[in-house]
């Protein structure tokens, strides 16, 4: 995974959700399970709701 450069926080949230989704799908296919750990602070407070509300539709959440 490379660097992500975005103009706005909203663009960053969208981009990081796409990265998380792609990695989750790949890892679930290979290992059957995906684990995500994010640091504390304000950024995860925006990422989690975005993922949960359709920001990553192809993730099999039963494997997360």
């Amino acid at each position: 995974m490379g660097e992500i450069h975005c103009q706005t926080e909203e663009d960053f949230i969208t981009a990081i959700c796409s990265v998380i989704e792609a990695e989750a799908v790949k890892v679930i296919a290979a290992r059957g399970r995906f684990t995500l750990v994010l640091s504390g602070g304000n950024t995860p407070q925006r990422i989690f709701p975005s993922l949960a509300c359709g920001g990553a539709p192809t993730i099999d959440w039963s494997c997360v």
Side-chain angles (χ1 to χ4, degrees), residues 13-25:
I13 299 299
T14 300
I16 199 66
C17 286
S18 293
V19 169
I20 291 169
E21 180 177 26
E23 288 298 309
V25 169

Side-chain angles (χ1 to χ4, degrees), residues 28-63:
I28 290 168
R31 299 182 185 152
R33 185 136 189 84
F34 177 72
T35 302
L36 174 65
V37 178
L38 296 174
S39 64
N42 293 329
T43 303
Q45 291 176 354
R46 297 276 319 272
I47 294 172
F48 290 138
S50 183
L51 287 171
C53 294
T58 62
I59 293 177
D60 178 356
W61 290 102
S62 68
C63 297

